[in-house]
Amino acid sequence: MASTILPSTIFVFFTFLLATEIVYSQSFIGINYGQVADNLPPPSATAKLLQSTSIEKVRLYGADPAIIKALANTGIGIVIGAANGDIPALAADPNFAKNWVNANVAPFHPASKIILITVGNEVITSNQDNLMNQLVPAIQNIQNALNSMSLGDIKVSTVHSMAVLRQSEPPSSGMFHPNYMTVLKELLEFNNATGSPFTINPYPYFAYRSDPRPETLAFCLFQPNAGRLDTNTNIKYMNMFDAQVDAIRSALNSMGFKNVEIVVAETGWPYKGDNDEVGSSLENAKAFNGNLIAHLRSMVGTPLMPGKSVDTYLFALYDEDLKPGPGSERAFGLFKPDLTMAYDVGLSKNGQSTPTSPKTTPVTTPSSPANNPSTKSPTSPKPKAGGGSWCLPKGGVSDAQLQANLDYACGRGLDCSAIQPGGACFEPNTIASHAAYAMNLFFQNGGRDPWTCDFSQSATLSSNNPSYNGCNYPGGST
């Protein structure tokens, strides 16, 4: 007698196939690949490492050709970035935008699968009106350049901090800050017309630091908790990530942009930090990242966007040992420079705790500077502000370290136009001069906290005003 396959058996079989496909094809899981470090493995080794995981997208903060080439023919989606300092030129000159695309996109795509260009990082919330108002013209010029070269399938957007919201609790009341509404409306019209995403950096870690209660920690780590009720919708939120993303969804909906997709450009949790950094521990980092990945894989979505997972880029692939600031800034990496896992959150395709990629000797590149001075340990005493009003490089610091400092400071949303061609501080056109200006700008905008004048122990506070001719360094009494 012929056997009969029951419909329920077919359903179970296809459910199994779907689950298997989700495990090995997780387009919603990406990772940030920062390079403010001097000990990173070569891009070719990193490409092999990524292929051994279920990570399918990588976000770069610039457009490093070595990395873009290494990811060719891997199928891994690549996000590249235009720096904040490029925004004025991109906005003012369509030819500059076309040259940027010709240099950073055209030689590599489609062998290297570039899927998104982010113009600037957290520009709108940087309190720099001039840069903010040039953002959308810069984005439009990049898009026009792509279209003219038949590369219009690549999307263009920018990345926002959660400070773009004036209100986020409860999530249904999410509202953008009125100071940014004019630029946001113009940007969202562009997003809507081109199908590009609204990209955001939600960090439950920082939410916990501002409210370090045990119940808040459980809520942030996707652990069992009582939940938080949104009384407007009667929805009970069980984790901070969903609440933060849905607050953005509500803000977009309230402006009439229900079709604009959200992408999480950064989220993560440090596995260690300074003594006063509450919550930064290996246990918490593993819980957050592991539970976030499981949440994304469940495809349950958020209460306001059910049944799908928002594209989410974990922060970060590696630690960046040249980053300034508190110890946690250098402790977000999921992998070590020797390509082993810092801790296992279930990203490996083969289920092993360590990837199968061979260990390699780290190399240095222009964006991964050599000659690194000793970095600050998490238990180092806080530097004293003394009478210093300006933050400047120490004597004898290498150009590589200065370049890393320059890239970091100007990549934080600061207005570095003064050291761009034609700017008041462009001359002398040296790394040392430009880094000095940028490092001081970072310090002044950081509330003159002595920690922000550390730069891996390559900076010092000075009471001597370094301004010269028409170049004025911001400063004041500490």
Coordinates of all heavy atoms in Angstrom, one line a residue, residues 302-357:
T302 N 9.0 43.6 17.4 CA 8.7 44.5 18.5 C 7.1 44.6 18.6 O 6.5 44.2 17.6 CB 9.3 45.9 18.4 OG1 8.6 46.6 17.3 CG2 10.7 45.8 18.1
P303 N 6.6 45.0 19.7 CA 5.1 45.1 19.7 C 4.5 46.0 18.6 O 3.4 45.7 18.1 CB 4.8 45.8 21.1 CG 6.0 45.2 21.9 CD 7.2 45.2 21.0
L304 N 5.2 47.0 18.2 CA 4.7 47.9 17.1 C 5.1 47.4 15.7 O 4.6 47.9 14.7 CB 5.1 49.3 17.3 CG 4.5 50.0 18.5 CD1 4.9 51.5 18.5 CD2 3.0 49.9 18.7
M305 N 6.0 46.5 15.6 CA 6.5 45.9 14.4 C 6.6 44.4 14.5 O 7.7 43.8 14.4 CB 7.8 46.5 13.9 CG 7.7 48.0 13.6 SD 9.3 48.7 13.2 CE 10.2 48.7 14.7
P306 N 5.5 43.7 14.7 CA 5.5 42.3 15.0 C 5.9 41.4 13.7 O 5.7 41.9 12.6 CB 4.1 42.0 15.5 CG 3.3 43.0 14.8 CD 4.1 44.2 14.7
G307 N 6.4 40.3 14.0 CA 6.6 39.3 12.9 C 7.8 39.5 12.0 O 8.0 38.8 11.0
K308 N 8.7 40.4 12.4 CA 10.0 40.5 11.6 C 11.0 41.1 12.6 O 10.7 41.7 13.6 CB 9.8 41.5 10.4 CG 9.4 42.9 10.8 CD 9.3 43.8 9.6 CE 9.1 45.3 10.0 NZ 9.0 46.2 8.8
S309 N 12.3 40.9 12.2 CA 13.3 41.4 13.0 C 14.0 42.6 12.3 O 14.3 42.6 11.1 CB 14.4 40.3 13.2 OG 13.9 39.3 14.1
V310 N 14.2 43.7 13.1 CA 14.8 44.9 12.6 C 16.3 44.6 12.3 O 16.9 43.9 13.2 CB 14.7 46.0 13.7 CG1 15.6 47.2 13.3 CG2 13.3 46.4 13.8
D311 N 16.8 45.0 11.2 CA 18.3 44.8 10.9 C 19.0 45.5 12.1 O 18.8 46.7 12.4 CB 18.6 45.5 9.6 CG 18.3 44.6 8.4 OD1 17.6 43.6 8.6 OD2 18.7 45.0 7.3
T312 N 19.9 44.7 12.7 CA 20.6 45.2 13.9 C 22.1 44.9 13.8 O 22.5 43.8 13.6 CB 20.0 44.5 15.2 OG1 18.6 44.8 15.3 CG2 20.8 44.9 16.4
Y313 N 22.9 46.0 13.9 CA 24.4 45.8 13.9 C 24.9 45.9 15.3 O 24.8 46.9 16.0 CB 25.0 47.0 13.0 CG 24.6 46.9 11.6 CD1 23.4 47.2 11.1 CD2 25.6 46.4 10.6 CE1 23.0 47.1 9.7 CE2 25.2 46.3 9.3 CZ 24.0 46.7 8.8 OH 23.7 46.6 7.5
L314 N 25.5 44.8 15.7 CA 26.1 44.7 17.1 C 27.3 45.5 17.1 O 28.1 45.6 16.2 CB 26.4 43.2 17.4 CG 25.3 42.2 17.2 CD1 25.8 40.8 17.4 CD2 24.2 42.4 18.2
F315 N 27.5 46.1 18.3 CA 28.8 46.8 18.5 C 29.6 46.1 19.6 O 29.1 46.0 20.7 CB 28.4 48.2 19.0 CG 29.7 49.1 19.1 CD1 30.1 49.8 18.0 CD2 30.4 49.3 20.3 CE1 31.2 50.7 18.0 CE2 31.5 50.1 20.3 CZ 31.9 50.8 19.2
A316 N 30.7 45.5 19.2 CA 31.4 45.6 18.0 C 32.2 44.3 17.7 O 32.2 43.4 18.5 CB 32.4 46.8 18.1
L317 N 32.8 44.3 16.5 CA 33.5 43.1 16.1 C 34.8 42.9 17.0 O 35.0 41.8 17.6 CB 34.0 43.2 14.6 CG 34.7 42.0 14.0 CD1 33.9 40.8 14.1 CD2 35.1 42.4 12.6
Y318 N 35.6 43.9 17.2 CA 36.8 43.9 18.0 C 36.8 45.0 19.0 O 36.2 46.1 18.7 CB 38.1 44.0 17.1 CG 38.2 42.9 16.0 CD1 38.2 43.3 14.7 CD2 38.4 41.6 16.4 CE1 38.4 42.3 13.7 CE2 38.6 40.7 15.4 CZ 38.6 41.0 14.0 OH 38.8 40.1 13.1
D319 N 37.6 44.9 20.0 CA 37.9 46.0 20.9 C 38.7 47.0 20.1 O 39.5 46.6 19.2 CB 38.7 45.6 22.1 CG 37.9 44.8 23.1 OD1 36.7 44.9 23.1 OD2 38.5 44.1 24.0
E320 N 38.6 48.3 20.4 CA 39.5 49.3 19.8 C 40.3 49.9 20.9 O 39.9 50.8 21.6 CB 38.6 50.3 19.1 CG 37.8 49.7 17.9 CD 36.8 50.7 17.3 OE1 37.2 51.5 16.5 OE2 35.6 50.7 17.7
D321 N 41.6 49.5 20.9 CA 42.4 49.8 22.1 C 43.0 51.3 22.0 O 43.6 51.7 23.0 CB 43.6 48.8 22.2 CG 44.6 48.9 21.0 OD1 44.2 49.5 20.0 OD2 45.7 48.4 21.2
L322 N 42.8 52.0 21.0 CA 43.2 53.4 20.9 C 42.1 54.4 21.2 O 42.3 55.6 21.1 CB 43.9 53.7 19.5 CG 45.1 52.9 19.2 CD1 45.7 53.3 17.8 CD2 46.2 53.0 20.3
K323 N 40.9 53.9 21.5 CA 39.8 54.8 21.8 C 40.1 55.6 23.0 O 40.5 55.0 24.1 CB 38.5 54.0 21.9 CG 37.8 53.9 20.5 CD 36.4 53.4 20.8 CE 35.5 53.5 19.6 NZ 34.1 53.1 19.8
P324 N 39.8 56.9 23.1 CA 39.8 57.6 24.3 C 38.6 57.3 25.2 O 37.7 56.6 24.8 CB 39.9 59.1 23.8 CG 39.1 59.0 22.6 CD 39.4 57.7 21.9
G325 N 38.6 58.0 26.3 CA 37.4 57.9 27.2 C 37.6 56.8 28.3 O 38.6 56.2 28.5
P326 N 36.5 56.4 28.9 CA 36.5 55.4 30.0 C 36.8 54.1 29.5 O 36.8 53.8 28.3 CB 35.1 55.5 30.6 CG 34.2 56.1 29.5 CD 35.1 57.0 28.7
G327 N 37.2 53.2 30.4 CA 37.6 51.8 30.0 C 36.6 51.0 29.2 O 37.0 50.2 28.3
S328 N 35.3 51.3 29.4 CA 34.3 50.6 28.6 C 34.4 50.8 27.1 O 34.0 50.0 26.3 CB 32.9 50.9 29.1 OG 32.6 52.3 28.9
E329 N 34.9 52.0 26.8 CA 35.0 52.3 25.3 C 35.9 51.3 24.6 O 35.8 51.2 23.4 CB 35.5 53.7 25.2 CG 34.5 54.8 25.4 CD 33.5 54.9 24.3 OE1 33.8 55.0 23.1 OE2 32.3 54.8 24.7
R330 N 36.8 50.7 25.3 CA 37.7 49.7 24.7 C 37.4 48.3 25.0 O 38.2 47.4 25.0 CB 39.1 50.1 25.2 CG 39.6 51.5 24.7 CD 40.9 51.9 25.3 NE 40.9 52.1 26.7 CZ 40.4 53.2 27.3 NH1 40.0 54.2 26.5 NH2 40.5 53.3 28.6
A331 N 36.1 48.0 25.3 CA 35.7 46.7 25.8 C 34.3 46.3 25.3 O 33.6 45.6 26.0 CB 35.7 46.6 27.3
F332 N 34.0 46.6 24.0 CA 32.8 46.1 23.4 C 32.9 45.0 22.4 O 32.0 44.4 21.9 CB 32.1 47.3 22.7 CG 31.3 48.2 23.5 CD1 31.9 49.3 24.2 CD2 29.9 48.1 23.7 CE1 31.2 50.2 24.9 CE2 29.2 48.9 24.5 CZ 29.8 50.0 25.1
G333 N 34.2 44.5 22.2 CA 34.4 43.6 21.1 C 33.9 42.2 21.5 O 34.0 41.7 22.6
L334 N 33.3 41.5 20.4 CA 32.8 40.2 20.6 C 33.9 39.2 20.2 O 33.9 38.0 20.6 CB 31.6 39.9 19.7 CG 30.3 40.7 20.0 CD1 29.2 40.4 19.0 CD2 29.9 40.3 21.5
F335 N 35.0 39.6 19.5 CA 36.1 38.8 19.1 C 37.4 39.4 19.5 O 37.5 40.7 19.6 CB 36.1 38.5 17.6 CG 34.9 37.7 17.2 CD1 33.7 38.3 16.8 CD2 35.0 36.3 17.2 CE1 32.6 37.5 16.4 CE2 33.9 35.5 16.8 CZ 32.7 36.1 16.4
K336 N 38.4 38.6 19.8 CA 39.7 39.1 20.1 C 40.6 39.2 18.8 O 40.2 38.6 17.8 CB 40.4 38.1 21.1 CG 39.7 38.0 22.4 CD 40.4 36.9 23.3 CE 39.6 36.7 24.6 NZ 40.2 35.7 25.4
P337 N 41.7 40.0 18.9 CA 42.5 40.1 17.7 C 43.1 38.7 17.2 O 43.4 38.6 16.0 CB 43.7 41.0 18.2 CG 43.1 41.8 19.3 CD 42.1 40.9 20.0
D338 N 43.1 37.7 18.0 CA 43.6 36.4 17.6 C 42.5 35.6 17.0 O 42.6 34.4 16.7 CB 44.3 35.6 18.7 CG 43.3 35.2 19.8 OD1 42.1 35.6 19.7 OD2 43.8 34.6 20.8
L339 N 41.3 36.2 16.8 CA 40.1 35.7 16.1 C 39.3 34.7 17.0 O 38.4 34.1 16.5 CB 40.5 35.0 14.8 CG 41.3 35.8 13.8 CD1 41.6 35.0 12.5 CD2 40.5 37.1 13.4
T340 N 39.7 34.5 18.2 CA 38.9 33.8 19.1 C 37.8 34.7 19.7 O 37.9 35.9 19.7 CB 39.7 33.2 20.3 OG1 40.3 34.2 21.0 CG2 40.8 32.2 19.8
M341 N 36.7 34.0 20.3 CA 35.6 34.8 20.8 C 36.0 35.4 22.2 O 36.6 34.7 23.0 CB 34.4 33.9 21.0 CG 33.8 33.4 19.7 SD 32.4 32.3 20.1 CE 32.0 31.9 18.4
A342 N 35.7 36.6 22.4 CA 35.8 37.2 23.8 C 34.9 36.5 24.7 O 35.2 36.2 25.9 CB 35.5 38.7 23.7
Y343 N 33.7 36.1 24.2 CA 32.7 35.3 24.9 C 31.7 34.8 23.9 O 31.5 35.5 22.8 CB 32.0 36.1 26.1 CG 31.4 37.4 25.7 CD1 30.1 37.5 25.3 CD2 32.2 38.6 25.7 CE1 29.6 38.7 24.9 CE2 31.7 39.8 25.3 CZ 30.4 39.9 24.9 OH 29.8 41.1 24.5
D344 N 31.1 33.7 24.1 CA 30.3 33.0 23.1 C 28.8 33.5 23.3 O 28.2 33.3 24.3 CB 30.4 31.5 23.3 CG 29.7 30.8 22.1 OD1 29.2 31.4 21.2 OD2 29.8 29.5 22.2
V345 N 28.3 34.0 22.2 CA 26.9 34.4 22.2 C 26.1 33.7 21.1 O 25.0 34.0 20.7 CB 26.7 35.9 22.0 CG1 27.2 36.7 23.2 CG2 27.4 36.4 20.7
G346 N 26.7 32.6 20.5 CA 26.0 31.7 19.6 C 26.1 32.2 18.2 O 25.1 31.9 17.4
L347 N 27.1 32.9 17.8 CA 27.2 33.4 16.4 C 27.9 32.4 15.4 O 27.7 32.5 14.2 CB 27.9 34.7 16.4 CG 27.2 35.9 16.9 CD1 28.1 37.1 17.0 CD2 26.0 36.2 16.0
S348 N 28.6 31.4 16.0 CA 29.4 30.5 15.1 C 28.4 29.6 14.4 O 27.5 29.0 15.0 CB 30.4 29.8 16.0 OG 31.1 28.8 15.2
K349 N 28.7 29.4 13.1 CA 27.8 28.5 12.3 C 28.0 27.0 12.8 O 27.1 26.2 12.7 CB 28.2 28.6 10.8 CG 27.6 29.8 10.1 CD 28.0 29.8 8.7 CE 27.4 31.0 8.0 NZ 27.8 31.0 6.5
N350 N 29.3 26.7 13.2 CA 29.5 25.3 13.5 C 29.2 25.0 15.0 O 29.4 23.8 15.4 CB 31.0 24.9 13.2 CG 32.0 25.8 13.9 OD1 31.7 26.4 15.0 ND2 33.2 25.9 13.4
G351 N 28.7 26.0 15.7 CA 28.4 25.7 17.1 C 29.5 25.6 18.1 O 29.3 25.4 19.3
Q352 N 30.7 25.8 17.6 CA 31.9 25.7 18.5 C 32.1 27.1 19.2 O 31.6 28.1 18.7 CB 33.2 25.4 17.7 CG 33.1 24.0 17.1 CD 34.3 23.7 16.2 OE1 35.2 24.6 16.1 NE2 34.4 22.5 15.7
S353 N 32.8 27.0 20.3 CA 33.0 28.3 21.0 C 34.1 29.2 20.4 O 34.1 30.3 20.7 CB 33.5 27.9 22.5 OG 32.4 27.3 23.2
T354 N 34.9 28.6 19.5 CA 35.9 29.4 18.8 C 35.8 29.2 17.4 O 35.5 28.1 16.9 CB 37.3 29.1 19.3 OG1 37.5 27.7 19.1 CG2 37.5 29.4 20.8
P355 N 36.0 30.2 16.5 CA 36.0 30.0 15.1 C 37.1 29.1 14.6 O 38.1 28.9 15.2 CB 36.1 31.4 14.6 CG 36.8 32.2 15.6 CD 36.4 31.5 16.9
T356 N 36.9 28.5 13.4 CA 37.8 27.6 12.8 C 38.9 28.4 12.0 O 39.8 27.8 11.5 CB 37.2 26.6 11.9 OG1 36.4 27.3 10.9 CG2 36.2 25.8 12.7
S357 N 38.8 29.7 11.9 CA 39.8 30.5 11.1 C 41.1 30.4 11.8 O 41.2 30.4 13.0 CB 39.3 31.9 11.0 OG 38.1 32.1 10.5

